[in-house]
Amino acid sequence: MEGFKTGDFDTVRAMLADDVRLELVTKLRRNGKSEVGEYFGAYAIAVRWVFSPAVVDGRAAMLVFDRNVSLDTPAYFVALEFAGDHVVGIRDFLYARYAMDGVEIRAIA
């Protein structure tokens, strides 16, 4: 989770399992370390977003804050599935922000 805490997406890409699955909810799906690594590359260069690790409804997640709106209230989250030290599943709710309604969020320091 260290890469998620610091926004170090090179570290995050190194954590991806070879057969990692990505779902950008309502928009697209990607499979495999190469395709999903490109997805994190886009986050790495974006200046709009600020990231924080969390647990959302009991699952590992990355909170995403829009620095143009609020650094106190997350805009959305990215749910993460781990197998050991590897990320095997990612569900990004960028385009499904309604998912924030009613979820239980616990920040990780």
Side-chain angles (χ1 to χ4, degrees):
M1 288 290 283
E2 194 60 37
F4 293 103
K5 288 180 185 179
T6 62
D8 178 358
F9 291 105
D10 286 334
T11 298
V12 171
R13 281 190 289 257
M15 296 170 58
L16 298 176
D18 290 336
D19 59 348
V20 63
R21 296 172 326 280
L22 163 70
E23 178 184 3
L24 187 56
V25 177
T26 77
K27 290 291 181 189
L28 66 87
R29 292 175 188 256
R30 295 285 185 257
N31 294 300
K33 192 171 189 171
S34 176
E35 287 184 9
V36 176
E38 291 175 16
Y39 153 85
F40 277 118
Y43 269 132
I45 61 171
V47 295
R48 177 180 181 181
W49 307 116
V50 176
F51 309 97
S52 178
V55 175
V56 176
D57 282 346
R59 298 179 306 183
M62 177 177 70
L63 298 179
V64 184
F65 298 83
D66 184 335
R67 72 174 71 242
N68 298 325
V69 177
S70 173
L71 294 178
D72 296 319
T73 303
Y76 65 97
F77 66 95
V78 179
L80 304 165
E81 181 182 349
F82 287 87
D85 292 337
H86 290 94
V87 178
V88 296
I90 302 162
R91 294 191 75 215
D92 186 326
F93 291 88
L94 171 64
Y95 297 106
R97 295 185 186 191
Y98 56 83
M100 290 293 293
D101 296 339
V103 295
E104 181 182 325
I105 298 172
R106 184 172 51 88
I108 297 173

